[in-house]
Amino acid sequence: MLTIAGTIAAACLALACACCLWRLVRGPTSLDRVLALDTLVMNSAALVVVFTIVHGREEMFELVFVISLLGLVSTLSLARFIETGRFGSDPFEEEGDG
Amino acid sequence: MSRVLPHPVTSVMLLITWVTITDPLSPGHWLLGLVVAWALPFATRGLFDQRIRVRSVPRILAYVALVAFDVFASNLRVTWLILSRGGRQSPVLVKVPLTLRDPFAITALASTISYTPGTVSVDVSEDRTHLLVHVFHTDDPASVVAGIKSRYERRLLEIFPC
Amino acid sequence: MNFTWLPWLALFGALLPGPLRRLRIDPALVAGAVATLGLGLLIRTTPEVVVLGQTLKSSVPWVPSLGLAISLRLDGLGFLMCGLILGIGLLVVLYARYYLKPEEATGRFYGPLLAFMGAMLGIALSENLLLLVVFWELTSISSFLLISFWQFSTDARRGARMALTVTGLGGLALLAGVIWIGQIVGSYELTQVIEHADVLKAHPHYPAVLCLVLLGAFTKSAQFPFHFWLPHAMAAPTPVSAYLHSATMVKAGVFLLARCYPFLAGTELWFYLVTITGMLTLLIGSFLALFQNDLKGLLAYSTVSHLGLITLLFGLDTDLAPKAALLHLLNHAVFKASLFMAAGIIDHETGTRDLRRLSGLFKPMPVTATLAIVAAASMAGIPLLNGFLSKEMFFTETLDADDIFGRSWILPVGATLASVLSVAYSVRFVRQAFFGPPATGLEKTPHEPPRWLRVPVELLVLLCIAIGVAPALLVGDLIHAAASACVQGELPPYTIALWHGFNTPLVMSIVALIGGILVYARRERLFRGVEARLSVSQGRRAFEGIVAALVGSSQRLERALRLDQVTTHLRGLLACAVLVSAWLLLPALARVSPTNTSGDLVLWVLCGVALFALAGVLLKSERPLTAIVYSSIVGLAVTLTFAYLSAPDLALTQLLVELVAILLLLAAVPHFGLPPRDKRSSPVRALDGALALGVGGAVTIGCWLMLSTDVASISRYFLEKSVPLGQGNNVVNVILVDFRGFDTFGEVTVLAIASLGILALFDHLAQRQAPSDLRPRTPLFLQSVTKLLLNLALLTAVFLFLRGHNAPGGGFIAGLTAAVGLVFVYQARNPTGAPARRPASMSRWLAAGVLLAALPGVAAMLFGRAFLTAGHVHLPLPLVGEVHLSTVLVFDLGVFVVVVATVLAILPTLGRLPLGKPTAEEER
Amino acid sequence: MAEVVVSVLLVLGAALALVGSWGVVVLPRFLSRIHGPSVVTTGGLGTLLLASLIWFWFDGGRLTGRELLVSFVLAVTAPITGHALSRAWLARHPKDPVDLGPGRDDS
């Protein structure tokens, strides 16, 4: 029972990833590509969760946590890069308030 | 007290996290958790000095429950919107005037808004008076703003001091 | 404290003058103390070594597999050499103290000087030939440092470079010769080599071995045609010239001849090679010395000729020749060192060394003048002085030696001619420097030098006279012991006496005296045309010509092959890779029976996605941002494959590496200029395409072969042994940190070095003007969450670190997680303190990390175990239960610190660099 | 019994994720597309984490806090990505926002 549900879920998630890839290839602006990447990361995290449940491999779980971390930092960096045209913040900017 | 334990709230959170990921049953890990939960915020106190001051814990739980329900509901709503309208929505950018001042409270509000599908908080104005929010689909923006203020901001005001 | 301490005393003593100077201890004092201590040690062994002629030996294994051992040997020969090194060394230290200006006489002078002394002692005492070569090279290096002591003068730098090149090449030849000897004889220990002397001499490779060893000796002792570097080494401060280039370093080559005498000499080839080179050097040296206008130049060429004389003596096949050579070695060191010091005094007092401007110095500096005259007389071989004794023996040996090219008169006549010339240039030196009208136009009015500057010269000249008057008493036993040690056999009795009756050698020396004076008097008429052409030494021009030719042709080659472009190197590299793998893999491919390689659907899909993303990266390479997004997808696909194949450790590592890679790429992207248009012509693109296909094919075949042949892989061993030995069930981490700890240690060090390099690079770039364009402030929203996330990331890092040994985790992964957390903070600029402190502090963290990694390794060695053996301890704590601690934890902590420091060293600085290429004027 | 619940949740979660991704493909304007991942993360991943919690509670026999921890982290991080993206978009198109609601006057 569970394995069937697992395969269906995996198939849906694979399709979701395909959608993201499609948007990534077509995405007119690079922002779209970053969005697609973020969605793709979240989908693959979901895939890992499904895999953990179906195969009962508990130690895979840290992977989900780190993948979400990956999603966060990569999207954030890319977005900030697009916004400010520079990696990270620039300590030379005036020391404004926090 | 604050010299020794700069961020009590963060320390508690770290302790709970440490114990959950290791093993809640073994006293050793509680001990180790205590050490780590104290050490890390103490080590990084040089960085931001955001003080998270919280007034009442039960209200937080209530708020979280509320948000959870809203998330579930709006998930369905947005899914329905995507499937039925397929792209012909009428999104709108609204500006929500804020009465909250505490930076962490504003962050909490913005997170809640972004977390619930259908609304994404885009930007906080320079002087922290307005919150720019993008709504996925609505024909009456004013009601969305009113909903946000009444439903979330009111509760957050009770939770956070200012 | 016995004689074996001598070389190390001086070598490590070299480290003392610098630091001690800060404690206001005069470096000269330190050097002097080291030298006197050494002399004391040496003299303590006089009864056994000199009187009884025994040989003291000691040996400590160093690299047994190479046959290299620190085995030292003190025999008569070694004693003589060490005596010279330490004795004259002490005098030079004293002399330099007053010769050099106070700010010059620092650790930078005395350090290399002591190092040189240690190296020379090492050569004199080494029993193991390989060890001798090690010290040999050390002398070249320390002489390089000493010659170029006055860095501002180009002559000094050029002279030092030339000396290092010539002696270095000689050292290389010597090493080859020594290794060849080792192969033939089977051991590098001198005693064994001497026992197998006849085997060596009869060996077909003997000529080649001999040439190599002689090449080493002749370059070091400035024999013809390698003599040209010595005059240019005169650019060194006079104490250095007095010590290295007259008494000790140039004697190392001749000493080597003495050491190799028992097992290389005695053959026809040795006789011809050594004798002829010696004779040529003797004549050319003395001839050129006659025309040198610079005082030290004259002395330098005179040293060359005297070294030729000693080499000639070692070449002669008569029994007493080595004894005469060693006697002259001693005498020459004494009078030449005092002459150099005297020249130094003249230079110090008058400001110039040019003989044409110097004259009539006798009146202003009578004492120095008399000292110099006595020393010069000894050099010329005037009776009652030590020079005369060894010249007498030299003449007797040339008479007894058998004929060269069938004629017996060549040697004696040559010897006499050379001593005529030596008398001539000695007279010239004395006459022009001290007599005639008082000099005019000198920078400083000549007067007597400070009292202590003259004391070393007085001592040496006193020694000349003493040895001259009573040779047998003072040096008889020493020379006898040294000669018997050199010949390794019995010597016919010969007392070094002042008067051997009226015989032909006496006639020859009288002829030489008179001839010398006549030649000097008629100098202008005899050699009118010669002087002009000799002005510039052909040796230097030849040397520099060769170097210039080499550099020129390599530059032309580089332009021709367009080696300046990276792509060319890459193409070459890849082409070799394809060829080698084709040569190796294709035959293996034929032998392997194809097994089923049908991976299941998921793996094919993941592989497809990865390939698709890779294609994306390549196609979109001109738009860096898109390329980065595609590359992160590749990383994601690989991670999912690892996850699917249930390898959590690898998946975690891959993900974190992917993360940091993205951040690094992003930090670097703003600095990429617009990618240049692809200017490659179509055939070149075709070549590149083919190369790419080739490499891809090779890798695929390689993997496929590896997978389909069930080679007995060592993974089974690690799987079994991981828990019992490594006491941890996360095999990956146990391998990383315990079994293959040494590799990881290497990697960590390399990582640290690489980031230090980057830091240095960035420090240079970051100094340029900082950008002034303002950036929109970081969103408040981001900052407030950052603190929480940072703590979460650090918590995970600690968690991963602590459980590393038994579950996915470990220093590397934890390091990356922490680094990502810290970089995340850097993303959201924080108004209070900058998290990335000045990069310099990162270098301290890097060093700390490597040290931490090394600590357990060294600790294991203290317990007599091999480097990096892990120690485990199980602590039963009351409340907590059993805690398993291991030294591996400290090693892992070292890895952790290095990884974090590396990321934090690179990212913030890369982000802070001003954008755009440095414009032209900035570059200057 | 638990297996049925978990299976249903699995499929539901995957479906939600698919719809979210589908939204990313279909929606015309960038700002609308931003809502796609928020659906995937909250709906899809949330449900799947719930499924994992239930499954390991019934099957594994002990209530593991990991799922809660991950969902907490997701709750904190997901909004940031959406926020960062929209800010980047705002920085690129300050002048023509879709349709400003009441009270929007400057910037």
Side-chain angles (χ1 to χ4, degrees):
Chain A
M1 170 66 164
L2 191 68
T3 41
I4 306 159
T7 33
I8 299 168
C12 291
L13 286 173
L15 210 60
C17 290
C19 298
C20 303
L21 279 180
W22 184 84
R23 167 55 64 194
L24 195 127
V25 169
R26 195 179 170 294
T29 70
S30 46
L31 259 180
D32 294 303
R33 290 197 175 84
V34 174
L35 180 72
L37 174 69
D38 183 45
T39 330
L40 188 65
V41 166
M42 283 307 148
N43 282 333
S44 45
L47 258 174
V48 171
V49 172
V50 166
F51 175 77
T52 320
I53 295 172
V54 169
H55 289 275
R57 299 299 302 266
E58 293 215 4
E59 69 278 6
M60 281 299 158
F61 212 86
E62 278 85 22
L63 221 50
V64 175
F65 172 70
V66 179
I67 288 184
S68 63
L69 193 64
L70 170 73
L72 163 74
V73 175
S74 57
T75 322
L76 187 80
S77 316
L78 286 163
R80 291 243 336 120
F81 181 78
I82 294 169
E83 179 188 348
T84 59
R86 160 186 292 281
F87 173 74
S89 60
D90 183 354
F92 288 98
E93 67 190 18
E94 24 68 37
E95 294 290 332
D97 55 333
Chain B
M1 176 52 188
S2 74
R3 286 285 317 123
V4 174
L5 188 63
H7 298 287
V9 176
T10 326
S11 292
V12 167
M13 263 192 261
L14 288 180
L15 177 61
I16 295 166
T17 325
W18 177 267
V19 170
T20 38
I21 47 180
T22 48
D23 171 13
L25 304 178
S26 94
H29 277 298
W30 279 91
L31 206 63
L32 200 53
L34 272 175
V35 169
V36 172
W38 168 79
L40 286 179
F42 185 78
T44 56
R45 70 190 183 291
L47 303 179
F48 303 136
D49 48 11
Q50 249 74 22
R51 281 278 178 299
I52 310 170
R53 285 177 298 283
V54 169
R55 265 217 296 256
S56 73
V57 177
R59 280 215 184 80
I60 295 181
L61 296 182
Y63 183 77
V64 166
L66 174 83
V67 168
F69 177 73
D70 282 0
V71 159
F72 184 70
S74 52
N75 245 321
L76 297 183
R77 196 168 68 80
V78 168
T79 322
W80 168 248
L81 277 171
I82 295 178
L83 293 181
S84 64
R85 298 287 187 99
R88 287 183 307 287
Q89 291 79 10
S90 52
V92 70
L93 263 172
V94 292
K95 196 155 192 175
V96 178
L98 291 172
T99 47
L100 286 168
R101 277 294 159 270
D102 172 80
F104 197 78
I106 297 175
T107 321
L109 179 65
S111 303
T112 330
I113 293 172
S114 303
Y115 199 59
T116 46
T119 52
V120 167
S121 58
V122 175
D123 192 8
V124 182
S125 63
E126 298 290 333
D127 50 11
R128 296 191 202 156
T129 52
H130 293 277
L131 183 64
L132 188 63
V133 172
H134 177 270
V135 185
F136 182 60
H137 165 71
T138 174
D139 24 36
D140 167 13
S143 71
V144 173
V145 170
I148 291 175
K149 282 189 77 60
S150 64
R151 205 170 162 77
Y152 300 126
E153 195 168 27
R154 185 169 55 73
R155 285 189 176 75
L156 282 177
L157 276 170
E158 289 151 15
I159 295 174
F160 288 97
C162 72
Chain C
M1 284 276 273
N2 55 21
F3 80 97
T4 50
W5 285 72
L6 275 173
W8 317 117
L9 181 72
L11 263 179
F12 295 115
L15 305 175
L16 295 177
L20 288 182
R21 184 162 182 276
R22 266 192 289 280
L23 305 173
R24 251 167 301 294
I25 298 170
D26 183 352
L29 210 60
V30 173
V34 167
T36 17
L37 191 58
L39 258 179
L41 282 176
L42 190 69
I43 291 161
R44 220 153 61 91
T45 64
T46 356
E48 301 94 355
V49 172
V50 175
V51 175
L52 301 176
Q54 289 163 350
T55 312
L56 308 174
K57 285 206 193 107
S58 91
S59 176
V60 171
W62 183 1
V63 182
S65 55
L66 291 177
L68 169 61
I70 306 180
S71 42
L72 300 175
R73 155 205 195 95
L74 179 59
D75 52 13
L77 186 57
F79 190 95
L80 170 68
M81 203 60 191
C82 291
L84 270 181
I85 299 164
L86 289 167
I88 296 186
L90 189 59
L91 294 178
V92 163
V93 163
L94 177 64
Y95 181 80
R97 171 70 182 74
Y98 294 94
Y99 178 81
L100 293 171
K101 301 189 196 63
E103 70 279 2
E104 273 179 345
T106 59
R108 203 167 73 78
F109 178 78
Y110 283 105
L113 191 74
L114 278 176
F116 171 79
M117 189 189 284
M120 276 310 293
L121 289 171
I123 293 181
L125 293 171
S126 56
E127 157 90 351
N128 185 303
L129 289 175
L130 273 183
L131 188 66
L132 187 133
V133 174
V134 168
F135 283 120
W136 188 277
E137 296 300 342
L138 261 174
T139 52
S140 306
I141 295 167
S142 40
S143 112
F144 173 81
L145 289 173
L146 286 167
I147 297 173
S148 60
F149 179 68
W150 285 326
Q151 287 159 342
F152 45 83
S153 95
T154 47
D155 292 349
R157 285 200 301 274
R158 189 191 318 123
R161 251 203 317 275
M162 194 191 292
L164 185 65
T165 327
V166 174
T167 47
L169 284 176
L172 210 59
L174 177 63
L175 181 62
V178 161
I179 290 174
W180 212 331
I181 294 176
Q183 299 312 328
I184 298 172
V185 168
S187 143
Y188 293 108
E189 297 300 320
L190 212 54
T191 26
Q192 268 76 14
V193 173
I194 293 170
E195 274 149 28
H196 298 84
D198 32 20
V199 166
L200 187 60
K201 286 180 195 163
H203 198 277
H205 294 160
Y206 168 76
V209 167
L210 180 64
C211 291
L212 285 173
V213 172
L214 288 184
L215 200 61
F218 290 164
T219 47
K220 190 71 113 174
S221 290
Q223 296 299 303
F224 179 82
F226 309 103
H227 65 287
F228 54 86
W229 66 271
L230 190 55
H232 291 284
M234 287 306 123
T238 315
V240 172
S241 314
Y243 191 36
L244 272 80
H245 303 119
S246 72
T248 48
M249 176 165 150
V250 285
K251 293 285 174 19
V254 181
F255 173 79
L256 183 69
L257 294 181
R259 264 293 182 238
C260 302
Y261 196 84
F263 55 90
L264 284 180
T267 59
E268 206 48 29
L269 189 60
W270 168 281
F271 171 72
Y272 272 98
L273 269 180
V274 178
T275 313
I276 292 169
T277 326
M279 175 60 82
L280 281 176
T281 323
L282 176 65
L283 289 171
I284 291 169
S286 45
F287 183 74
L288 289 177
L290 199 53
F291 300 97
Q292 293 305 318
N293 290 326
D294 167 16
L295 199 55
K296 279 176 83 174
L298 182 141
L299 292 175
Y301 276 106
S302 126
T303 308
V304 167
S305 79
H306 280 274
L307 287 169
L309 187 143
I310 300 172
T311 318
L312 177 69
L313 278 170
F314 272 119
L316 298 182
D317 52 7
T318 59
D319 304 344
L320 277 172
K323 188 163 194 174
L326 289 173
L327 179 63
H328 194 65
L329 184 132
L330 174 67
N331 294 340
H332 173 266
V334 173
F335 64 69
K336 189 50 65 59
S338 60
L339 272 172
F340 263 110
M341 289 188 191
I345 291 173
I346 293 170
D347 180 17
H348 196 264
E349 294 318 317
T350 61
T352 168
R353 296 201 302 257
D354 191 336
L355 277 173
R356 286 165 300 194
R357 294 176 53 203
L358 288 170
S359 80
L361 287 178
F362 194 88
K363 264 182 282 313
M365 29 204 306
V367 177
T368 320
T370 38
L371 290 174
I373 291 164
V374 168
S378 161
M379 178 161 71
I382 311 289
L384 280 179
L385 291 169
N386 58 1
F388 170 75
L389 296 172
S390 42
K391 192 146 283 187
E392 277 292 299
M393 275 184 85
F394 171 52
F395 286 148
T396 34
E397 292 319 312
T398 48
L399 288 170
D400 306 345
D402 50 18
D403 340 349
I404 285 192
F405 311 117
R407 286 177 184 54
S408 68
W409 53 267
I410 293 178
L411 277 176
V413 164
T416 331
L417 185 62
S419 50
V420 161
L421 288 171
S422 81
V423 168
Y425 66 67
S426 318
V427 167
R428 174 173 180 235
F429 162 59
V430 168
R431 165 68 183 66
Q432 273 188 318
F434 297 111
F435 299 101
T440 55
L442 293 177
E443 283 86 27
K444 293 187 260 183
T445 58
H447 52 76
E448 277 301 339
R451 179 83 190 75
W452 281 96
L453 197 58
R454 219 177 41 222
V455 162
V457 186
E458 283 155 9
L459 277 175
L460 284 170
V461 169
L462 210 63
L463 207 57
C464 285
I465 302 166
I467 298 174
V469 166
L473 182 68
L474 278 171
V475 289
D477 317 342
L478 177 61
I479 298 295
H480 180 71
S484 52
C486 162
V487 173
Q488 290 295 318
E490 260 326 302
L491 274 173
Y494 175 86
T495 53
I496 316 168
L498 196 58
W499 177 256
H500 286 284
F502 190 84
N503 47 23
T504 27
L506 193 63
V507 167
M508 288 161 77
S509 54
I510 295 164
V511 162
L513 272 175
I514 299 158
I517 296 163
L518 284 176
V519 160
Y520 170 67
R522 298 279 182 291
R523 195 165 37 100
E524 292 76 19
R525 250 191 320 85
L526 274 172
F527 311 104
R528 188 162 303 99
V530 168
E531 193 144 5
R533 263 191 297 91
L534 282 181
S535 59
V536 175
S537 101
Q538 298 78 350
R540 180 166 58 80
R541 261 211 320 286
F543 176 78
E544 258 140 31
I546 299 166
V547 170
L550 277 176
V551 169
S553 53
S554 54
Q555 270 157 0
R556 270 193 308 282
L557 183 68
E558 185 183 16
R559 267 194 303 282
L561 295 172
R562 281 206 300 285
L563 291 177
D564 47 0
Q565 290 166 355
V566 177
T567 45
T568 331
H569 292 268
L570 217 52
R571 285 198 191 91
L573 209 62
L574 289 179
C576 297
V578 171
L579 290 178
V580 166
S581 44
W583 174 52
L584 286 175
L585 292 180
L586 290 185
L589 200 61
R591 280 199 309 276
V592 167
S593 60
T595 55
N596 61 1
T597 52
S598 60
D600 56 24
L601 174 64
V602 172
L603 285 179
W604 283 108
V605 166
L606 284 174
C607 183
V609 167
L611 279 178
F612 164 79
L614 266 178
V617 173
L618 293 180
L619 295 175
K620 294 286 181 192
S621 59
E622 69 280 0
R623 297 183 51 192
L625 207 55
T626 324
I628 290 177
V629 170
Y630 276 114
S631 78
S632 57
I633 293 173
V634 174
L636 205 57
V638 172
T639 314
L640 288 181
T641 327
F642 284 143
Y644 182 71
L645 298 172
S646 75
D649 222 311
L650 289 177
L652 266 176
T653 318
Q654 168 66 32
L655 251 177
L656 288 164
V657 167
E658 190 60 43
L659 206 53
V660 178
I662 294 176
L663 298 179
L664 281 172
L665 275 172
L666 265 177
V669 153
H671 301 286
F672 295 164
L674 269 177
R677 260 187 322 77
D678 193 341
K679 296 191 286 298
R680 291 176 302 175
S681 62
S682 51
V684 173
R685 289 168 73 96
L687 169 72
D688 288 353
L691 261 183
L693 282 176
V695 173
V699 171
T700 327
I701 295 172
C703 294
W704 186 71
L705 272 175
M706 218 284 287
L707 288 175
S708 49
T709 54
D710 51 7
V711 67
S713 84
I714 55 173
S715 51
R716 254 180 301 284
Y717 165 80
F718 283 128
L719 281 171
E720 289 140 15
K721 290 286 183 298
S722 157
V723 178
L725 283 181
Q727 311 210 342
N729 28 41
N730 172 1
V731 178
V732 172
N733 185 270
V734 168
I735 292 176
L736 259 178
V737 181
D738 198 339
F739 291 131
R740 305 301 294 258
F742 201 69
D743 305 353
T744 324
F745 182 63
E747 281 142 29
V748 161
T749 333
V750 163
L751 191 61
I753 293 170
S755 30
L756 280 178
I758 295 170
L759 269 177
L761 196 64
F762 284 161
D763 272 358
H764 164 68
L765 284 178
Q767 262 127 28
R768 298 205 341 276
Q769 40 78 17
S772 53
D773 46 4
L774 293 181
R775 284 277 163 287
R777 249 185 339 90
T778 325
L780 153 92
F781 176 77
L782 204 54
Q783 285 165 21
S784 48
V785 172
T786 309
K787 186 63 176 293
L788 183 65
L789 282 177
L790 169 66
N791 283 328
L792 259 181
L794 291 182
L795 186 92
T796 331
V798 170
F799 170 65
L800 287 174
F801 178 77
L802 286 180
R803 73 167 195 177
H805 220 41
N806 297 318
F812 185 69
I813 295 181
L816 285 178
T817 328
V820 164
L822 289 167
V823 163
F824 183 75
V825 166
Y826 174 76
Q827 288 285 60
R829 186 182 67 81
N830 76 76
T832 47
R837 283 168 303 284
R838 264 195 26 69
S841 69
M842 277 307 136
S843 49
R844 272 197 293 279
W845 277 101
L846 283 170
V850 173
L851 279 179
L852 261 177
L855 207 61
V858 171
M861 284 165 80
L862 294 183
F863 292 98
R865 303 286 292 275
F867 181 67
L868 269 189
T869 348
H872 298 275
V873 70
H874 293 267
L875 291 173
L877 290 181
L879 180 66
V880 175
E882 205 207 52
V883 173
H884 164 217
L885 287 178
S886 143
T887 58
V888 159
L889 198 65
V890 179
F891 181 82
D892 231 359
L893 188 61
V895 172
F896 176 84
V897 167
V898 170
V899 167
V900 173
T902 309
V903 174
L904 286 186
I906 301 168
L907 275 176
T909 15
L910 200 57
R912 177 177 298 127
L913 289 186
L915 291 185
K917 295 259 176 313
T919 46
E921 73 278 1
E922 264 175 356
E923 199 52 58
R924 257 193 303 286
Chain D
M1 193 357 227
E3 204 175 321
V4 170
V5 168
V6 168
S7 310
V8 166
L9 284 177
L10 272 182
V11 173
L12 179 64
L16 278 174
L18 181 57
V19 167
S21 311
W22 171 250
V24 165
V25 165
V26 163
L27 296 171
R29 274 176 301 284
F30 175 76
L31 270 184
S32 326
R33 278 189 215 121
I34 282 193
H35 297 275
S38 101
V39 169
V40 169
T41 321
T42 53
L45 216 51
T47 325
L48 287 173
L49 287 175
L50 192 64
S52 154
L53 182 73
I54 297 166
W55 174 251
F56 286 112
W57 190 359
F58 278 92
D59 180 73
R62 54 181 170 70
L63 183 64
T64 50
R66 280 200 311 269
E67 283 77 7
L68 293 176
L69 175 68
V70 173
S71 47
F72 165 74
V73 166
L74 275 176
V76 172
T77 53
I80 294 185
T81 47
H83 175 80
L85 285 170
S86 44
R87 257 183 74 90
W89 180 83
L90 201 64
R92 281 293 170 86
H93 319 79
K95 285 303 158 275
D96 57 358
V98 170
D99 159 20
L100 287 185
R104 173 145 186 98
D105 39 23
D106 58 272
S107 116

